[in-house]
Amino acid sequence: MVMSKQCVETAKRLANGVPANTLSREAEALALADAIGEIGKRKTIADYVLEGVINGYLSGTMTPIANSLSIGVQNLLRPTVYAIGALTDATKITNRQGKRADRTLSEAYAMLQAATEGFIADLHYFRTGWMRGYPIDVNTTVKEIAAGTGRTVPEVKTSISQAYARRSALEEGLTEGTDAFNARVEALSEFEPTPEQISQYVHEGYDYVRKAIPGKGGEMVRIPTKLTVAIDEYGKARFRRQKVAQMAAIKARQEAGNDDVRYRELLDSYKKEASVITNDFGEMERTLGKMFGNGEKDWLPYTTVREFALDNTFQSRLYGLPANIQKLKNEAGDDAAGEARRLLLGTMVPFVKTPWNILKEGVTYVPGLPFAFRPKYSEGGTPVKMSNDELIPRQILGSSMFAGIMSMYAAGRATGAPRDGQEAQAWRDEGKASFAIKIGDVWIPYQRIEPIATAFGLAADLKRAMDDYNADPNP
């Protein structure tokens, strides 16, 4: 991300406690907009071209349909995986050392129940996402975080310092909770965050939010991105509701014990109190901190809920090579060479975050594969590799998916990729779709219904490869 001069000055001022009147209202507004990403930057020809390209990719009617279906699938997958996790915890396949409380089927049921509730109420976030055209759960500056959460700027900076300190300590190989870890975090937390760290901490942009083309014409061009953002915001609201239900179930069971009547009363009460419908995410953070944390200023419950929502809408933070690619795109430079690089990269790789997160999520259901290439997720703002406790239930479900699709392929009721153009044409003549399953007499494409499409497609292609080998071991 290339920050404007005003944004850099704002970050520096906030980091050093400079009074607000050192910047004009116009410069402050520009800096706030710039903190979201592309908004507020000086636009170039490359920006105009890329906005057209990106919206062209998103303009097909299948894109919003596929996004909506993926949200629906994830809403069912998450409680299913959690229920399997409850069974593996109970049998000590997972959580063998008892480092956390075992998952329970009642928590999985609360998540499943939440997936059937609040459809109309959560449309508030769809409407707001459509109107704004960019993510609504983003605090764009340290000052805005402070104002939204009832904390001072120094308190927010301390939180940022602690987040980076914790991340650095883990990357150094220290075990969380040990004296060495705590001492290292305390030492690193003494350093004030740099403007670049502040920007990285508060920045949570989308691949496709640019807002380069001005006026009514730009608004028309951006209709696909506005619709995509609206669907994502609705999806995040659904997953926040689901995670809150799980946390409420845990708290209700702890307080009610074996009294099931009292448990249901508490669960309903906590869900109602915590399901805040608001654009003030500071209010949401305070509510969740008070209910599930150590008070209104405890940011961890909200962070946990937010990360769950981002993970399941494939918008979680990037790490490693994908993060470097994203950074290369955003920081290509404003000179002629930089504009050419940004145009080339943006055209060749218009999206990074969403495709990578889809792939990362999808491979967790492919038998054996994620143990070799364990994906990283954000936990409390810190990148961690997916634990066996989370991975094993996914692998159990994924193995069932593989077995089911391979069986359907053998029965002629599932397809993967055609071998060649000739077979693809033959399928079209028959009315058969690639990457599809046959339900009744209708072929239903699954190719864009993530994250199951990855597992389904690999299962079908693997079965075809096995059949081909058995037919002719020496082609």
Side-chain angles (χ1 to χ4, degrees):
M1 170 180 158
V2 180
M3 299 172 67
S4 67
K5 181 179 179 181
Q6 290 91 340
C7 190
V8 172
E9 292 303 315
T10 297
K12 288 180 179 178
R13 174 173 59 73
L14 292 173
N16 294 284
V18 179
N21 58 13
T22 55
L23 279 183
S24 68
R25 293 180 63 87
E26 292 76 12
E28 184 80 355
L30 180 60
L32 288 173
D34 183 59
I36 293 176
E38 300 294 334
I39 303 169
K41 283 176 57 177
R42 181 179 64 83
K43 305 307 177 189
T44 65
I45 293 175
D47 293 310
Y48 298 135
V49 172
L50 288 177
E51 181 153 59
V53 169
I54 288 171
N55 280 276
Y57 281 125
L58 296 174
S59 62
T61 55
M62 279 305 299
T63 298
I65 293 173
N67 290 353
S68 301
L69 287 174
S70 292
I71 289 169
V73 168
Q74 281 284 71
N75 257 268
L76 296 177
L77 277 179
R78 296 311 308 196
T80 302
V81 169
Y82 199 93
I84 296 171
L87 297 177
T88 58
D89 282 356
T91 55
K92 292 305 172 188
I93 296 174
T94 52
N95 198 30
R96 293 180 181 179
Q97 298 178 353
K99 291 184 177 180
R100 56 169 177 78
D102 283 351
R103 290 165 284 197
T104 67
L105 290 175
S106 61
E107 293 154 19
Y109 179 73
M111 294 176 71
L112 182 61
Q113 189 177 36
T116 67
E117 298 171 342
F119 288 107
I120 303 301
D122 288 340
L123 283 173
H124 165 85
Y125 296 102
F126 180 93
R127 289 192 297 271
T128 307
W130 169 264
M131 294 299 295
R132 292 190 179 184
Y134 61 81
I136 63 178
D137 59 342
V138 178
N139 287 312
T140 52
T141 66
V142 172
K143 187 176 182 180
E144 188 175 350
I145 294 173
T149 59
R151 290 181 287 176
T152 65
V153 167
E155 286 174 337
V156 173
K157 288 193 296 179
T158 298
S159 295
I160 296 174
S161 294
Q162 289 175 345
Y164 278 105
R166 182 169 176 264
R167 180 182 303 178
S168 297
L170 288 172
E171 289 175 350
E172 291 173 12
L174 298 177
T175 302
E176 188 169 9
T178 62
D179 291 341
F181 176 88
N182 294 334
R184 185 60 175 153
V185 169
E186 183 177 355
L188 292 172
S189 297
E190 295 177 359
F191 294 95
E192 197 166 88
T194 65
E196 289 75 19
Q197 288 176 319
I198 291 172
S199 173
Q200 182 182 355
Y201 184 84
V202 302
H203 175 68
E204 200 55 71
Y206 275 43
D207 287 324
Y208 44 79
V209 176
R210 305 189 70 84
K211 293 199 173 181
I213 302 173
K216 295 293 184 181
E219 289 302 313
M220 290 294 293
V221 168
R222 284 189 291 274
I223 286 176
T225 63
K226 291 179 66 176
L227 181 57
T228 302
V229 169
I231 292 171
D232 278 352
E233 291 307 309
Y234 184 74
K236 285 191 284 187
R238 304 299 302 152
F239 291 115
R240 285 195 299 267
R241 185 179 293 275
Q242 200 167 61
K243 186 62 176 179
V244 163
Q246 179 241 333
M247 295 165 70
I250 293 173
K251 182 175 181 179
R253 181 58 71 188
Q254 289 173 342
E255 296 183 7
N258 295 323
D259 186 341
D260 289 339
V261 174
R262 179 62 177 158
Y263 164 77
R264 285 192 291 272
E265 291 175 349
L266 288 173
L267 175 60
D268 290 341
S269 174
Y270 293 150
K271 283 166 58 179
K272 183 177 180 181
E273 185 176 348
S275 298
V276 182
I277 303 296
T278 176
N279 291 339
D280 183 354
F281 285 86
E283 177 189 353
M284 188 181 296
E285 181 174 335
R286 292 190 295 273
T287 299
L288 296 179
K290 181 173 64 176
M291 288 198 63
F292 304 118
N294 297 318
E296 289 188 351
K297 293 185 179 181
D298 188 347
W299 52 269
L300 188 57
Y302 169 73
T303 301
T304 301
V305 170
R306 182 170 183 265
E307 288 172 348
F308 183 83
L310 290 172
D311 289 345
N312 286 287
T313 51
F314 314 117
Q315 291 298 326
S316 55
R317 189 184 296 273
L318 297 175
Y319 300 104
L321 179 60
N324 291 332
I325 294 174
Q326 182 84 310
K327 182 178 179 181
L328 186 63
K329 284 178 58 183
N330 290 338
E331 298 183 356
D334 289 329
D335 57 6
E339 184 175 345
R341 285 196 299 271
R342 188 162 69 253
L343 181 58
L344 179 62
L345 286 169
T347 304
M348 294 177 61
V349 192
F351 311 106
V352 179
K353 179 178 285 188
T354 302
W356 177 258
N357 280 312
I358 287 174
L359 177 63
K360 183 177 71 173
E361 186 76 7
V363 297
T364 63
Y365 296 99
V366 177
L369 188 59
F371 290 106
F373 304 98
R374 198 174 292 259
K376 281 187 177 181
Y377 285 84
S378 183
E379 186 175 296
T382 301
V384 294
K385 290 184 177 180
M386 182 176 283
S387 66
N388 286 339
D389 285 359
E390 175 67 21
L391 198 51
I392 288 174
R394 291 171 180 246
Q395 288 285 283
I396 293 172
L397 180 60
S399 297
S400 300
M401 291 181 186
F402 254 65
I405 292 298
M406 292 175 81
S407 175
M408 292 181 71
Y409 186 94
R413 304 189 70 83
T415 62
R419 291 178 177 84
D420 49 39
Q422 185 176 356
E423 185 174 58
Q425 184 59 52
W427 284 4
R428 284 192 291 270
D429 294 341
E430 295 175 29
K432 181 189 294 187
S434 59
F435 298 105
I437 56 176
K438 190 176 184 181
I439 299 178
D441 295 326
V442 180
W443 285 96
I444 309 296
Y446 60 77
Q447 188 174 15
R448 298 186 65 182
I449 304 175
E450 300 293 353
I452 61 172
T454 302
F456 280 20
L458 285 174
D461 289 345
L462 177 61
K463 177 59 177 172
R464 186 196 66 196
M466 292 168 60
D467 290 347
D468 289 348
Y469 178 80
N470 290 333
D472 185 5
N474 299 299

